[in-house]
Amino acid sequence: GTITAVASGGWGTYEYELTGTATVAYSSNGTFTDLVAGVYTVNVRDAGGCIASDGVTLTIPNPIDATISASTTLLSCFGDDDASITITNTIGGQGSNYTYTLNQVLPTVTSSGPQTATVFNNLGAGTYTITTLAASKSCGNSIEVEITEPEQLTILPNEVQALSCFESNDGIIDVSANGGTEPYNFKWQTANNVPDTNVLTNIPAGDYFLSVTDANNCGQTFFVPLQQPAEIEIERFSQGESCFQSGDGIAAVNVTGG
């Protein structure tokens, strides 16, 4: 604490003395700093030796306390940054002019504030501390809040089997979803009519686009170009004998595809 004395009247210059819980001898300095709570007396002496006294009591303010609440402690989707932290019911300290600072300590270190507004918006997953200070003093209170997020939604290919023959329609796509929040919804976009499930069997060749959403409508996409072998084609070539029974005729085939 600090006590400052300013004298007037009397004769000439003044000297100041502090007694009580702490003692400071007479000097021309009327400001006494770094004082603990207690009862003090300030004595002022002028050039003529006249002394005036005044009592001062320094008290300890009540501890600062506040209610800290997050709009959610679990985000809907991985990577969301739509959470907020609100401070209410602030008491203690000097009783007014509170300021608030938000520090993120995990997974990265950032800081926002100090500010007089009691809401911090646009927060992602992480561990935060909210420090409350009163009347620009160094005494304050810090409270920790953790905001979590679900695992990232991913799509894993278990099996992708191309067609065994041209237009055999025996292709297979088998996928599974992980992360996010169950249950999952599978939706295929393709030129072929297929059920909206994670396992497709006996399907034709083509491009298959999969959209997966979880219970919180978090989404992920997956693309499968399902292949098939080329159609088997046979090219024939023949040339007759040049003379009767000359034995120089030709018959040949060229096979492609498959």
Side-chain angles (χ1 to χ4, degrees):
T2 300
I3 296 175
T4 299
V6 178
S8 62
W11 296 96
T13 58
Y14 307 102
E15 291 183 316
Y16 303 88
E17 177 192 46
L18 183 69
T19 61
T21 303
T23 301
V24 180
Y26 276 110
S27 74
S28 59
N29 183 15
T31 299
F32 306 95
T33 60
D34 300 325
L35 303 175
V36 299
V39 178
Y40 297 88
T41 299
V42 177
N43 303 309
V44 182
R45 184 173 62 191
D46 68 4
C50 301
I51 297 176
S53 300
D54 195 9
V56 178
T57 300
L58 297 181
T59 60
I60 300 176
N62 293 325
I64 294 175
D65 194 16
T67 300
I68 309 296
S69 58
S71 59
T72 180
T73 56
L74 176 61
L75 297 170
S76 297
C77 301
F78 178 86
D80 277 357
D81 57 358
D82 55 358
S84 63
I85 293 177
T86 302
I87 305 100
T88 57
N89 304 322
T90 305
I91 58 174
Q94 301 299 318
S96 62
N97 300 324
Y98 297 106
T99 61
Y100 308 95
T101 301
L102 178 74
N103 295 300
Q104 182 176 359
V105 296
L106 289 173
T108 57
V109 178
T110 61
S111 182
S112 178
Q115 65 182 45
T116 57
T118 58
V119 179
F120 293 92
N121 293 308
N122 304 320
L123 304 179
T127 301
Y128 300 87
T129 60
I130 298 87
T131 300
T132 303
L133 298 178
S136 71
K137 300 295 183 181
S138 59
C139 51
N141 181 40
S142 294
I143 299 176
E144 184 174 289
V145 175
E146 183 177 8
I147 298 174
T148 61
E149 63 184 349
E151 292 184 9
Q152 185 172 13
L153 179 62
T154 57
I155 303 173
L156 303 176
N158 300 321
E159 181 183 5
V160 176
Q161 179 177 297
L163 277 64
S164 59
C165 300
F166 180 75
E167 294 186 346
S168 61
N169 294 352
D170 58 356
I172 297 175
I173 300 177
D174 180 350
V175 299
S176 60
N178 286 327
T181 305
E182 296 188 54
Y184 306 114
N185 179 58
F186 297 85
K187 181 70 175 179
W188 291 96
Q189 296 177 351
T190 177
N192 305 307
N193 185 23
V194 296
D196 289 326
T197 180
N198 66 306
V199 180
L200 303 179
T201 58
N202 299 319
I203 55 176
D207 291 336
Y208 291 80
F209 296 87
L210 173 63
S211 296
V212 177
T213 54
D214 70 359
N216 293 328
N217 206 33
C218 311
Q220 191 63 268
T221 59
F222 189 70
F223 170 64
V224 181
L226 193 63
Q227 306 293 330
Q228 66 178 346
E231 183 178 8
I232 296 177
E233 296 183 355
I234 302 175
E235 182 182 4
R236 300 177 181 86
F237 175 77
S238 63
Q239 179 177 305
E241 294 178 308
S242 59
C243 300
F244 179 74
Q245 294 184 343
S246 63
D248 58 354
I250 299 173
V253 294
N254 182 39
V255 180
T256 60

